[in-house]
Amino acid sequence: MNKELFLNGYIEKIATKFDIAKDLAFEILCLSSILDMSFDEVYDEASTLENKDGSHDGGFDGIYIDKDENILHIFQMKNKPTIGDNELTKFISNYENIFVRNNSVGIRLNKTVKAKVDEYISLIQNGEYFEVQLYFIFNGTKETTNKSQNLEVSQRFEAAQENLKILDSDDLFSRIESLVTINKKRKQHKFTFQAEKSNISLKNDPQALISFSLLNVKAANFRLEALEICKLIDREIEINKSKDTLFSDNIRGYLGTNKTNRSIRDTLLSEDAEYFPFLNNGITIIANRINMPKQMMVGYYPIESINPVIVNGLQTTNVLYDIYKRDSSRLEGVYVMVRLYETADAELIDKITNATNTQSPISFRDKISTKRFNDFTKELFESKGVGYLTKRGETFDNTLSKQMHESITNETVIKFWYATFFEKPTIARNSKSKVMEYCFTAVEDAKHPLHKLFNGDKNSSIYMQLFIAYKIYMQVANMRKSYIKEEIEDFIFYADEFMSYGIYKLLKKNELLKTFEPLLGEYYHEIFDTIKAIVENEKVRLNALDMTYSHNEYFKSERAVSDLNEKMSFCETENKIENLNRFAI
């Protein structure tokens, strides 16, 4: 009952916010919970909605290209209690036609879907490699009843399609609950690790572990039964109602069925499982305190930990626990290597976390989320009625976001600041991770040219810059959505960063950044007309060279920037860093 009240409450509020049917609102809710993006962002960036009726979407309700993790996320959602063979067969067939065979049967695609498919094709042609994750989500349960065969259908299709996840309303509710739990204060608890003693020199040195202390850090390295790690997760769920709090200091979330995690799973389920300690990097855990015995205790080496947190090995841990839930006997006789540290030094914890997380891409959004400048930015945005989301799960935990006010992640705001005030739209478009890494370095490194902006000083000029960049982006995003119904130049589906850059430069050229809001509509149309003209010129130029024009390629290039600058007489900003530091309203 609570699940239905919760989900239906969100569906109704989303339907009202975007003026769409409840079936389509269910899609937005699913996308937001899986992608961990605000409702506004998934509506603008991940949903395939056009004309608010879902027509010509290729059979996909959501498409999101994660260029940082190199994952293509493809969604189909059904706001109904049952699923059938035909729906899943059609979803997989549509995926294979569009993304495997390049639309060999010629299905008509709306502008939103076509833009996403074109971008994906361009990335593949340029040598990028992507994992593909398919999601089929329905508003019912997998429990098999006399009226449905949801569980049997789900298991059969997931077994046949390796990259397919079929999620029900229980999964959706659990996902949202887990995201919210991340932001709650973690309850403290103890856990005792039963470290394995040596099986080589039992008589002389039965010591199970390597233990030492350096400065203010105590450390122990040891072999541990995989089932013990699963018991630690069980304990975390018992105390804090979610396993995600066990990874609260981890710099990224579980990456699901990507290539690395499939390899871990394959090893654990193979004849080589006993060799797992040699084939895996192990797990790094930090605790507030650890108590180690100086000698064996009746043949055991129990190590008591206070508030253990896994800072590296999240992917390994989740794969282990997934196998444990399905069939714990598969982990019998399997061991993992554990590095356990005692420290409360926040700076050292950051260093250990960063140094040990090298196996999969790092999310700089998570790394930057706790930095001081975000606190002041959040205050400014909230005073303007906008939810500024800095951590995973805040879409469902932020007051303004839950009330369906405008909300946006810091990642998007910083990206469009980089495209506008920092005047680098092509980098902002091509690599969000580079943008976040650059700004994270600015926070950490006192010698960085942008350190004065991002060091958290209450008098920094970055806060208003971020808000102006956000308002420019929203003008561009809203106009793009409003143009979908019209027969208009389709370059707007590829040029958010570029359009934002042009509007910013025009405001700056006319010295109107301090009174920018009334001019956003007028300046949008001026930049739109200019970009339309330079696009036509580029098509003519390439045609003369017997070359093919591509929106995606053009707006990724510095040529587009120079063409716009020349057409609008925009000059490169002199002393840019100095001007940004002294910018004031």
Side-chain angles (χ1 to χ4, degrees), residues 147-205:
K147 296 181 179 179
S148 75
Q149 297 294 318
N150 292 342
L151 181 61
E152 185 275 326
V153 171
S154 298
Q155 290 177 336
R156 178 157 41 84
F157 273 86
E158 285 185 326
Q161 189 78 26
E162 185 181 44
N163 60 342
L164 172 66
K165 286 183 180 179
I166 300 176
L167 307 177
D168 63 7
S169 59
D170 288 338
D171 295 317
L172 181 60
F173 188 50
S174 296
R175 169 67 179 170
I176 295 171
E177 183 184 30
S178 295
L179 288 171
V180 173
T181 302
I182 292 171
N183 295 322
K184 302 300 182 185
K185 185 173 178 62
R186 185 187 186 213
K187 294 180 181 178
Q188 298 188 355
H189 68 86
K190 300 177 182 178
F191 185 82
T192 299
F193 296 95
Q194 296 291 352
E196 290 293 316
K197 60 180 180 289
S198 172
N199 57 7
I200 295 177
S201 53
L202 295 177
K203 288 185 178 180
N204 300 323
D205 183 19

Coordinates of all heavy atoms in Angstrom, one line a residue, residues 147-205:
K147 N -3.3 -15.1 -12.4 CA -3.6 -14.1 -13.5 C -2.5 -13.7 -14.4 O -2.6 -13.1 -15.4 CB -4.3 -12.9 -12.9 CG -5.6 -13.2 -12.2 CD -6.2 -11.9 -11.6 CE -7.5 -12.1 -10.9 NZ -8.1 -10.9 -10.4
S148 N -1.2 -14.0 -13.9 CA -0.1 -13.5 -14.7 C 1.1 -14.5 -14.6 O 1.1 -15.3 -13.7 CB 0.4 -12.1 -14.2 OG 1.1 -12.3 -13.0
Q149 N 2.0 -14.4 -15.6 CA 3.2 -15.2 -15.6 C 4.4 -14.2 -15.6 O 5.4 -14.5 -16.3 CB 3.2 -16.1 -16.8 CG 2.1 -17.1 -16.8 CD 2.2 -18.1 -15.7 OE1 3.3 -18.6 -15.4 NE2 1.1 -18.5 -15.1
N150 N 4.3 -13.1 -14.9 CA 5.4 -12.1 -14.9 C 6.7 -12.7 -14.6 O 7.7 -12.3 -15.2 CB 5.0 -11.0 -13.9 CG 3.8 -10.1 -14.4 OD1 3.4 -10.2 -15.5 ND2 3.2 -9.4 -13.4
L151 N 6.8 -13.5 -13.5 CA 8.1 -14.0 -13.1 C 8.7 -14.9 -14.1 O 9.9 -14.8 -14.5 CB 8.0 -14.7 -11.7 CG 9.3 -15.3 -11.2 CD1 10.3 -14.2 -10.9 CD2 9.0 -16.1 -9.9
E152 N 7.9 -15.8 -14.6 CA 8.4 -16.8 -15.6 C 8.9 -16.1 -16.9 O 9.9 -16.4 -17.4 CB 7.3 -17.8 -16.0 CG 7.7 -18.9 -16.9 CD 7.6 -18.6 -18.4 OE1 6.7 -17.8 -18.7 OE2 8.5 -19.0 -19.2
V153 N 8.1 -15.1 -17.3 CA 8.5 -14.3 -18.5 C 9.8 -13.5 -18.3 O 10.7 -13.5 -19.1 CB 7.3 -13.4 -18.9 CG1 7.8 -12.4 -20.0 CG2 6.1 -14.1 -19.4
S154 N 9.9 -12.9 -17.1 CA 11.1 -12.1 -16.8 C 12.3 -13.0 -16.8 O 13.3 -12.6 -17.4 CB 10.9 -11.4 -15.4 OG 9.8 -10.5 -15.4
Q155 N 12.2 -14.1 -16.1 CA 13.4 -15.0 -16.0 C 13.8 -15.5 -17.3 O 15.0 -15.6 -17.6 CB 13.1 -16.1 -15.0 CG 13.0 -15.7 -13.6 CD 12.6 -16.8 -12.7 OE1 12.0 -17.8 -13.1 NE2 12.9 -16.7 -11.4
R156 N 12.9 -15.8 -18.2 CA 13.2 -16.4 -19.5 C 13.9 -15.4 -20.4 O 14.8 -15.7 -21.0 CB 11.9 -16.9 -20.1 CG 12.0 -17.5 -21.5 CD 10.9 -18.5 -21.9 NE 9.6 -18.0 -21.4 CZ 8.8 -17.2 -22.1 NH1 9.3 -16.7 -23.3 NH2 7.6 -16.9 -21.6
F157 N 13.4 -14.2 -20.4 CA 13.9 -13.2 -21.3 C 15.3 -12.7 -20.8 O 16.2 -12.4 -21.6 CB 13.0 -12.0 -21.5 CG 12.0 -12.2 -22.6 CD1 10.8 -12.9 -22.4 CD2 12.3 -11.7 -23.9 CE1 9.9 -13.1 -23.4 CE2 11.4 -11.9 -24.9 CZ 10.2 -12.6 -24.7
E158 N 15.4 -12.5 -19.5 CA 16.7 -12.1 -18.9 C 17.8 -13.1 -19.1 O 19.0 -12.8 -19.3 CB 16.6 -11.8 -17.4 CG 15.9 -10.5 -17.1 CD 15.8 -10.1 -15.6 OE1 15.8 -11.1 -14.8 OE2 15.9 -8.9 -15.3
A159 N 17.4 -14.4 -19.1 CA 18.4 -15.5 -19.3 C 18.8 -15.5 -20.8 O 20.0 -15.8 -21.1 CB 17.8 -16.8 -19.0
A160 N 17.9 -15.1 -21.7 CA 18.2 -15.1 -23.1 C 18.9 -13.9 -23.6 O 19.7 -13.9 -24.6 CB 16.9 -15.3 -23.9
Q161 N 18.7 -12.7 -22.9 CA 19.3 -11.5 -23.3 C 20.2 -10.9 -22.2 O 19.7 -10.4 -21.2 CB 18.2 -10.5 -23.6 CG 18.6 -9.2 -24.3 CD 18.9 -9.3 -25.8 OE1 18.4 -10.2 -26.4 NE2 19.8 -8.5 -26.3
E162 N 21.5 -11.1 -22.3 CA 22.4 -10.8 -21.2 C 22.3 -9.4 -20.7 O 22.5 -9.1 -19.5 CB 23.8 -11.1 -21.7 CG 24.9 -11.0 -20.6 CD 26.3 -11.3 -21.1 OE1 26.6 -10.8 -22.2 OE2 27.0 -12.0 -20.4
N163 N 22.1 -8.4 -21.6 CA 22.1 -7.0 -21.2 C 20.7 -6.4 -20.9 O 20.5 -5.2 -21.0 CB 22.8 -6.2 -22.3 CG 22.1 -6.2 -23.7 OD1 21.3 -7.2 -23.9 ND2 22.3 -5.3 -24.6
L164 N 19.8 -7.3 -20.6 CA 18.4 -6.9 -20.4 C 18.1 -7.0 -18.9 O 18.4 -8.0 -18.2 CB 17.4 -7.7 -21.1 CG 15.9 -7.5 -20.8 CD1 15.4 -6.2 -21.2 CD2 15.1 -8.6 -21.5
K165 N 17.6 -5.9 -18.3 CA 17.1 -5.9 -16.9 C 15.5 -5.7 -17.0 O 15.1 -4.7 -17.6 CB 17.7 -4.8 -16.1 CG 19.1 -5.0 -15.7 CD 19.6 -3.9 -14.8 CE 21.1 -4.1 -14.4 NZ 21.5 -3.0 -13.5
I166 N 14.8 -6.6 -16.4 CA 13.3 -6.4 -16.3 C 13.0 -6.0 -14.8 O 13.3 -6.8 -13.9 CB 12.6 -7.7 -16.7 CG1 12.9 -8.0 -18.2 CG2 11.1 -7.5 -16.5 CD1 12.3 -9.3 -18.7
L167 N 12.5 -4.8 -14.6 CA 12.3 -4.3 -13.3 C 10.8 -4.1 -13.1 O 10.1 -3.7 -14.0 CB 13.0 -3.0 -13.1 CG 14.5 -3.0 -13.4 CD1 15.1 -1.6 -13.3 CD2 15.2 -4.0 -12.5
D168 N 10.3 -4.4 -11.8 CA 8.9 -4.2 -11.5 C 8.8 -3.1 -10.5 O 9.8 -2.4 -10.2 CB 8.3 -5.5 -11.0 CG 9.0 -6.0 -9.7 OD1 9.8 -5.3 -9.1 OD2 8.6 -7.1 -9.2
S169 N 7.6 -2.8 -10.0 CA 7.3 -1.7 -9.1 C 8.1 -1.9 -7.8 O 8.5 -0.9 -7.2 CB 5.8 -1.5 -8.9 OG 5.3 -2.7 -8.3
D170 N 8.3 -3.1 -7.4 CA 9.1 -3.3 -6.2 C 10.5 -2.9 -6.4 O 11.1 -2.3 -5.5 CB 9.1 -4.8 -5.8 CG 7.7 -5.3 -5.2 OD1 7.0 -4.4 -4.7 OD2 7.5 -6.5 -5.3
D171 N 11.1 -3.2 -7.5 CA 12.5 -2.8 -7.9 C 12.5 -1.3 -7.9 O 13.5 -0.6 -7.4 CB 12.9 -3.4 -9.2 CG 13.0 -4.9 -9.2 OD1 13.5 -5.4 -8.2 OD2 12.6 -5.5 -10.1
L172 N 11.5 -0.6 -8.5 CA 11.5 0.8 -8.7 C 11.4 1.5 -7.3 O 12.2 2.4 -7.0 CB 10.3 1.2 -9.5 CG 10.1 2.7 -9.8 CD1 11.3 3.3 -10.5 CD2 8.8 2.9 -10.6
F173 N 10.5 1.0 -6.5 CA 10.4 1.5 -5.1 C 11.7 1.3 -4.3 O 12.1 2.3 -3.6 CB 9.2 0.8 -4.4 CG 8.8 1.4 -3.1 CD1 8.6 2.8 -3.0 CD2 8.7 0.7 -2.0 CE1 8.2 3.4 -1.8 CE2 8.3 1.2 -0.8 CZ 8.1 2.6 -0.6
S174 N 12.3 0.2 -4.4 CA 13.5 -0.1 -3.7 C 14.7 0.8 -4.2 O 15.5 1.3 -3.4 CB 14.0 -1.5 -3.9 OG 13.0 -2.4 -3.3
R175 N 14.7 1.1 -5.5 CA 15.7 2.0 -6.0 C 15.6 3.4 -5.5 O 16.5 4.0 -5.1 CB 15.6 2.0 -7.6 CG 16.4 3.0 -8.3 CD 17.9 2.8 -8.2 NE 18.6 3.9 -8.9 CZ 19.9 4.0 -8.8 NH1 20.6 3.2 -8.1 NH2 20.5 5.0 -9.5
I176 N 14.3 3.9 -5.4 CA 14.1 5.2 -4.9 C 14.4 5.3 -3.4 O 15.0 6.2 -2.9 CB 12.6 5.6 -5.2 CG1 12.4 5.8 -6.7 CG2 12.3 7.0 -4.5 CD1 11.0 6.0 -7.1
E177 N 14.0 4.2 -2.7 CA 14.3 4.1 -1.3 C 15.8 4.2 -1.0 O 16.3 4.8 -0.1 CB 13.7 2.9 -0.7 CG 13.8 2.8 0.8 CD 13.3 1.4 1.4 OE1 13.3 0.4 0.6 OE2 12.9 1.4 2.5
S178 N 16.6 3.4 -1.8 CA 18.0 3.4 -1.7 C 18.6 4.7 -1.9 O 19.6 5.1 -1.2 CB 18.6 2.3 -2.6 OG 18.2 1.0 -2.3
L179 N 18.2 5.4 -3.0 CA 18.7 6.7 -3.3 C 18.5 7.7 -2.1 O 19.4 8.5 -1.8 CB 18.1 7.3 -4.6 CG 18.5 6.6 -5.9 CD1 17.6 7.1 -7.0 CD2 20.0 6.9 -6.2
V180 N 17.3 7.7 -1.6 CA 17.0 8.6 -0.5 C 17.8 8.2 0.8 O 18.3 9.1 1.5 CB 15.5 8.5 -0.1 CG1 15.2 9.3 1.2 CG2 14.6 9.0 -1.3
T181 N 18.0 6.9 1.0 CA 18.8 6.4 2.2 C 20.2 6.9 2.2 O 20.8 7.2 3.2 CB 18.7 4.9 2.2 OG1 17.4 4.5 2.3 CG2 19.5 4.4 3.5
I182 N 20.8 7.1 1.0 CA 22.1 7.6 0.8 C 22.3 8.9 1.6 O 23.4 9.1 2.2 CB 22.5 7.8 -0.6 CG1 22.6 6.4 -1.3 CG2 23.8 8.5 -0.8 CD1 22.7 6.5 -2.8
N183 N 21.3 9.8 1.6 CA 21.5 11.1 2.2 C 21.1 11.1 3.6 O 21.1 12.2 4.2 CB 20.6 12.1 1.4 CG 21.1 12.2 0.0 OD1 22.3 12.3 -0.3 ND2 20.2 12.3 -1.0
K184 N 20.6 10.0 4.2 CA 20.3 10.0 5.6 C 21.5 9.7 6.5 O 22.5 9.1 6.0 CB 19.2 8.9 5.9 CG 17.9 9.1 5.0 CD 17.2 10.4 5.3 CE 15.9 10.5 4.5 NZ 15.3 11.8 4.7
K185 N 21.5 10.1 7.7 CA 22.6 9.9 8.6 C 22.7 8.4 8.9 O 21.7 7.7 9.3 CB 22.4 10.6 9.9 CG 23.6 10.5 10.9 CD 23.4 11.5 12.0 CE 24.5 11.3 13.0 NZ 25.8 11.7 12.4
R186 N 23.9 7.8 8.7 CA 24.1 6.4 8.9 C 24.2 6.1 10.4 O 24.9 6.7 11.1 CB 25.4 6.0 8.2 CG 25.7 4.5 8.2 CD 27.0 4.3 7.7 NE 27.3 2.9 7.5 CZ 28.5 2.3 7.7 NH1 29.5 3.1 8.0 NH2 28.7 1.0 7.5
K187 N 23.4 5.0 10.8 CA 23.5 4.6 12.2 C 24.8 3.8 12.4 O 25.2 3.0 11.5 CB 22.3 3.7 12.5 CG 21.0 4.4 12.5 CD 19.8 3.5 12.8 CE 18.5 4.2 12.8 NZ 17.4 3.3 13.0
Q188 N 25.4 4.0 13.5 CA 26.7 3.4 13.8 C 26.5 1.9 14.2 O 25.5 1.6 14.8 CB 27.5 4.1 14.9 CG 27.8 5.5 14.5 CD 28.7 6.2 15.6 OE1 29.0 5.6 16.6 NE2 29.1 7.4 15.3
H189 N 27.5 1.1 13.8 CA 27.4 -0.3 14.2 C 28.8 -1.0 14.2 O 29.7 -0.4 13.6 CB 26.4 -1.1 13.4 CG 26.7 -1.3 12.0 ND1 27.5 -2.3 11.5 CD2 26.4 -0.6 10.8 CE1 27.7 -2.3 10.2 NE2 27.0 -1.2 9.8
K190 N 28.9 -2.1 14.8 CA 30.1 -2.9 14.8 C 30.0 -4.1 13.8 O 28.9 -4.6 13.6 CB 30.4 -3.4 16.2 CG 30.6 -2.3 17.2 CD 30.8 -2.9 18.6 CE 31.0 -1.9 19.7 NZ 31.2 -2.5 21.0
F191 N 31.1 -4.5 13.3 CA 31.1 -5.8 12.6 C 32.5 -6.5 12.8 O 33.5 -5.8 12.8 CB 30.9 -5.6 11.1 CG 30.8 -6.9 10.3 CD1 29.6 -7.6 10.3 CD2 31.9 -7.5 9.7 CE1 29.5 -8.8 9.6 CE2 31.8 -8.7 9.0 CZ 30.6 -9.4 9.0
T192 N 32.5 -7.8 13.1 CA 33.7 -8.5 13.3 C 34.1 -9.4 12.1 O 33.3 -10.2 11.7 CB 33.6 -9.4 14.6 OG1 33.3 -8.6 15.7 CG2 34.9 -10.2 14.8
F193 N 35.2 -9.1 11.6 CA 35.7 -9.9 10.5 C 36.5 -11.1 11.0 O 37.4 -11.0 11.9 CB 36.7 -9.1 9.6 CG 36.0 -7.9 8.9 CD1 36.1 -6.7 9.5 CD2 35.4 -8.1 7.7 CE1 35.5 -5.6 8.9 CE2 34.8 -7.0 7.1 CZ 34.8 -5.7 7.7
Q194 N 36.1 -12.3 10.5 CA 36.8 -13.5 10.9 C 38.0 -13.8 9.9 O 37.8 -14.5 8.9 CB 35.9 -14.7 11.0 CG 34.8 -14.6 12.0 CD 35.3 -14.7 13.4 OE1 36.5 -15.0 13.7 NE2 34.5 -14.4 14.4
A195 N 39.1 -13.2 10.1 CA 40.2 -13.3 9.2 C 40.7 -14.7 9.2 O 40.8 -15.4 10.2 CB 41.3 -12.3 9.6
E196 N 41.1 -15.2 8.0 CA 41.7 -16.5 7.8 C 43.1 -16.6 8.2 O 43.9 -15.7 7.8 CB 41.5 -17.0 6.4 CG 40.1 -17.2 5.9 CD 39.5 -18.4 6.7 OE1 40.1 -19.5 6.8 OE2 38.3 -18.3 7.1
K197 N 43.5 -17.6 9.0 CA 44.9 -17.7 9.4 C 45.7 -18.4 8.3 O 45.1 -19.0 7.4 CB 45.0 -18.5 10.7 CG 44.5 -19.9 10.7 CD 44.6 -20.6 12.0 CE 44.1 -22.0 12.0 NZ 42.6 -22.0 12.0
S198 N 47.0 -18.3 8.4 CA 47.9 -18.9 7.3 C 47.7 -20.4 7.3 O 47.5 -21.0 8.3 CB 49.3 -18.5 7.6 OG 50.2 -19.2 6.7
N199 N 47.8 -21.0 6.1 CA 47.7 -22.4 6.0 C 49.1 -23.0 5.5 O 49.2 -24.0 4.9 CB 46.6 -22.9 5.1 CG 46.7 -22.3 3.7 OD1 47.7 -21.6 3.4 ND2 45.6 -22.5 2.9
I200 N 50.1 -22.1 5.6 CA 51.5 -22.5 5.1 C 52.4 -22.9 6.3 O 52.9 -24.0 6.4 CB 52.1 -21.4 4.3 CG1 51.3 -21.1 3.0 CG2 53.5 -21.7 4.0 CD1 51.8 -20.0 2.2
S201 N 52.5 -22.0 7.3 CA 53.4 -22.3 8.4 C 52.7 -22.2 9.7 O 52.8 -21.3 10.5 CB 54.6 -21.2 8.4 OG 54.0 -19.9 8.4
L202 N 51.9 -23.2 9.9 CA 51.0 -23.3 11.0 C 51.7 -23.4 12.4 O 51.3 -22.8 13.4 CB 50.0 -24.5 10.9 CG 49.0 -24.4 9.8 CD1 48.2 -25.7 9.7 CD2 48.1 -23.2 9.9
K203 N 52.9 -24.1 12.4 CA 53.6 -24.3 13.6 C 54.3 -23.0 14.1 O 54.2 -22.6 15.2 CB 54.6 -25.4 13.5 CG 54.0 -26.8 13.4 CD 55.1 -27.8 13.5 CE 54.4 -29.3 13.4 NZ 55.5 -30.3 13.4
N204 N 55.0 -22.4 13.2 CA 55.8 -21.3 13.6 C 55.1 -19.9 13.5 O 55.4 -19.0 14.3 CB 57.1 -21.2 12.7 CG 57.9 -22.5 12.9 OD1 58.0 -23.0 14.0 ND2 58.5 -23.0 11.8
D205 N 54.3 -19.8 12.5 CA 53.7 -18.4 12.3 C 52.3 -18.6 11.8 O 52.1 -18.4 10.6 CB 54.6 -17.6 11.4 CG 54.0 -16.2 11.2 OD1 53.2 -15.8 12.0 OD2 54.4 -15.5 10.2

